[in-house]
Amino acid sequence: MSEQTPERPYPVGSDEKVNRVMVYTSNAIYWGDVVAKEAVRVSTWLRTNSAPEFLRIYQARCIVPTAGATPRPLLYTEIYIPATEIRAYHLMAPDKDPLDYDPTEPNRRMDPVSVVVGTFRIDGHLRVSAVSNLGKYLEITREAYTPLYDVEITNLIMPALGVMKTYYIQVRQSTGLFGILPQTA
């Protein structure tokens, strides 16, 4: 029995794949399909030299969070988001890339952090050296995007969006407000 690929209303080359992504900008959230070369790890794509200047999302949806409003997505056949406007992004389930680190690597730990990106709060874990902390990490890291793991995302002004969970997200370091939450007993 052969598996049939559903027809897509956009071109996908024989050396390409489709992944579903969610993208956060300063005032909205977008989600839909991106087409990338098979060799590209889409979850870290924007951190690489092969990152596009505009992220093209097909079959896109958009919500502009507004207090007291019912979430109603805007629909686009395709939308182009300048990479410079992307504050955070992640793959959507069931799409998943392999981990980008070795979990058995010694002298590393996962520190809980909270990052505010626009109206979104992203609670997750930052992988740091055992002798480092969030402040030192932000001081010495020069990458555009910071990876967070085991993440929960909520919207501060539109709770009706619920809680989104993902195993991995990239947050633009220069536009995120990073914080350490108080420890609960």
Side-chain angles (χ1 to χ4, degrees):
M1 180 182 271
S2 66
E3 241 181 81
Q4 287 195 337
T5 306
E7 281 298 314
R8 291 197 167 84
Y10 48 84
V12 180
S14 61
D15 64 339
E16 294 178 321
K17 63 181 176 181
V18 175
N19 283 113
R20 296 197 38 84
V21 296
M22 191 162 277
V23 173
Y24 303 79
T25 65
S26 60
N27 60 357
I29 184 173
Y30 300 85
W31 67 97
D33 298 343
V34 295
V35 177
K37 295 292 184 189
E38 280 287 345
V40 170
R41 181 186 282 215
V42 174
S43 63
T44 61
W45 194 11
L46 298 183
R47 292 173 62 186
T48 69
N49 291 336
S50 66
E53 287 191 42
F54 286 85
L55 188 63
R56 177 193 245 178
I57 302 177
Y58 296 99
Q59 308 281 277
R61 306 279 189 271
C62 168
I63 290 179
V64 177
T66 308
T70 302
R72 289 201 180 102
L74 301 171
L75 308 175
Y76 297 93
T77 302
E78 58 189 86
I79 193 162
Y80 297 78
I81 303 173
T84 56
E85 294 299 314
I86 297 174
R87 311 301 170 142
Y89 71 98
H90 61 84
L91 289 175
M92 294 175 61
D95 294 357
K96 190 173 185 175
D97 281 337
L99 287 176
D100 65 340
Y101 68 89
D102 177 1
T104 64
E105 181 182 11
N107 302 318
R108 294 277 176 187
R109 69 173 192 267
M110 293 288 205
D111 281 356
V113 297
S114 184
V115 184
V116 176
V117 173
T119 61
F120 291 90
R121 176 178 163 170
I122 302 167
D123 293 336
H125 294 86
L126 177 66
R127 187 166 171 79
V128 295
S129 163
V131 296
S132 189
N133 59 38
L134 176 61
K136 287 179 187 176
Y137 176 88
L138 293 172
E139 204 173 290
I140 63 171
T141 303
R142 298 291 174 243
E143 289 188 314
Y145 288 94
T146 295
L148 298 179
Y149 304 88
D150 300 320
V151 175
E152 289 189 354
I153 305 160
T154 54
N155 189 276
L156 300 169
I157 64 168
M158 196 174 210
L161 290 177
V163 177
M164 293 175 273
K165 294 182 180 190
T166 185
Y167 75 102
Y168 183 79
I169 191 169
Q170 295 281 329
V171 177
R172 185 178 291 276
Q173 193 169 314
S174 64
T175 60
L177 305 174
F178 289 75
I180 300 170
L181 298 172
Q183 296 294 328
T184 56

